[in-house]
Amino acid sequence: MDRMYRVLGFWTAMFTVMFYLLGLDKTALLFLGQTGFFVLLSYLKLSERMYMYIFGAYLTVFFAGFTYYTTFLMVPGAE
């Protein structure tokens, strides 16, 4: 399971590079933080159950933040 977090780190690093090249600096920094989180987590040698709990918590925080952003902050026409 720890290798899967390295794969997640690789893909978030690829998105970091793409966002940076497109000039989306804030998004690139967000994905850079996720890359560091996933890569560091992959070297902790936790049990598979603990990796699943952490991933579930990560998804919960992501969905709550994404829902908040799309509901209250993503107002059409507000720039």
Side-chain angles (χ1 to χ4, degrees):
M1 189 60 112
D2 54 346
R3 289 184 184 171
M4 196 63 221
Y5 277 93
R6 288 185 204 130
V7 171
L8 286 170
F10 170 78
W11 284 112
T12 53
M14 293 299 107
F15 277 97
T16 300
V17 171
M18 288 190 287
F19 285 135
Y20 181 73
L21 292 175
L22 288 173
L24 302 170
D25 295 334
K26 291 180 183 179
T27 309
L29 284 174
L30 176 67
F31 273 77
L32 183 64
Q34 290 182 36
T35 300
F37 172 72
F38 286 138
V39 170
L40 289 173
L41 194 61
S42 71
Y43 287 104
L44 289 180
K45 301 292 184 194
L46 302 172
S47 67
E48 187 170 347
R49 179 180 287 186
M50 195 61 185
Y51 279 124
M52 293 303 290
Y53 285 151
I54 291 171
F55 189 66
Y58 169 79
L59 287 180
T60 302
V61 169
F62 168 78
F63 286 132
F66 183 75
T67 303
Y68 176 79
Y69 176 78
T70 57
T71 304
F72 299 112
L73 301 179
M74 199 171 142
V75 179
E79 296 177 4

